[in-house]
Amino acid sequence: MGDRIVSEARNIMPIAVTEATYSLVPFDAFRKRWTRQEFAAVEEAGLLAGQRLELIDGDLITKMPKNRRHTNGLIFLQAWLIQTFGLEFINPETSIDVAPEDNPTSEPEPDLIVLRR
């Protein structure tokens, strides 16, 4: 009978209950929200040389390289936008001129812009 108890004891998975020794930290705790002014200063200092970055809602986003499919899509979209809104309302690859005080954490560089007037 003693051998049977030892045999059954070997088949039981050991379980240990412990308290977590760490605290869960929100992901945003390590996130740096950049302003346009900070981004411009870092660029002027040459710290981002050779990097293609865009400031969107305080995040520095790496710009995707433009491949053939991207370019073809832009050509078709631009043609459709010109037919729909007219040539004078479409600007390709123009940065959006928004005052920093109106949008301090974004400086988007869109491929195409549709102007209101």
Side-chain angles (χ1 to χ4, degrees):
M1 176 126 171
D3 291 336
R4 183 173 162 211
I5 293 173
V6 171
S7 174
E8 287 177 10
R10 288 185 191 153
N11 294 330
I12 298 173
M13 178 68 84
I15 298 174
V17 178
T18 61
E19 288 186 32
T21 57
Y22 59 88
S23 63
L24 297 176
V25 179
F27 178 73
D28 282 351
F30 301 108
R31 182 183 229 167
K32 165 67 176 140
R33 294 284 188 178
W34 296 86
T35 64
R36 290 172 71 173
Q37 186 177 11
E38 291 170 331
F39 181 48
V42 171
E43 276 187 313
E44 286 177 24
L47 299 174
L48 302 174
Q51 296 187 49
R52 295 175 29 97
L53 299 171
E54 189 171 4
L55 181 64
I56 304 293
D57 291 328
D59 292 324
L60 295 178
I61 308 294
T62 303
K63 292 184 192 177
M64 298 293 292
K66 293 182 182 176
N67 58 29
R68 186 71 172 158
R69 287 177 53 188
H70 180 91
T71 303
N72 288 344
L74 281 177
I75 291 168
F76 289 120
L77 178 60
Q78 184 174 357
W80 180 81
L81 290 171
I82 290 170
Q83 285 180 338
T84 305
F85 298 105
L87 181 60
E88 64 274 10
F89 295 104
I90 309 302
N91 283 359
E93 300 202 27
T94 305
S95 62
I96 298 174
D97 189 19
V98 178
E101 57 273 5
D102 292 337
N103 194 348
T105 60
S106 290
E107 196 168 13
E109 298 177 17
D111 292 324
L112 294 167
I113 299 172
V114 178
L115 303 172
R116 227 190 283 191
R117 45 188 142 95

